[in-house]
Amino acid sequence: MKGVWDGDAIELIAAALLIENEFDTEVFVGFVDYLKLGERRVVVMDANLRKSFLES
């Protein structure tokens, strides 16, 4: 399966960090739906993605 656009991954990690902060939990996986393609793609919330978000 193909990956996701960088902007979509950044938006997803931002939402995950807000959820983690609000509910005192950890988010490990998120999903991006590409409706025109009819695909749902998985995004693993790993340290590299978190780091790239925090550095931007």
Side-chain angles (χ1 to χ4, degrees), residues 9-50:
I10 295 298
E11 185 177 342
L12 193 58
I13 192 65
L17 291 172
L18 289 170
I19 290 168
E20 290 177 348
N21 187 50
E22 183 68 24
F23 297 104
D24 192 30
T25 188
E26 192 169 357
V27 177
F28 299 102
V29 177
F31 299 91
V32 176
D33 288 326
Y34 290 107
L35 300 178
K36 288 185 179 183
L37 300 174
E39 294 181 7
R40 174 173 281 175
R41 298 183 182 173
V42 66
V43 177
V44 177
M45 306 294 170
D46 62 5
N48 292 331
L49 182 58
R50 292 170 187 271

Side-chain angles (χ1 to χ4, degrees), residues 4-16 43 49 52-54 56:
V4 299
W5 290 93
D6 289 344
D8 295 336
I10 295 298
E11 185 177 342
L12 193 58
I13 192 65
V43 177
L49 182 58
S52 67
F53 172 76
L54 295 173
S56 62

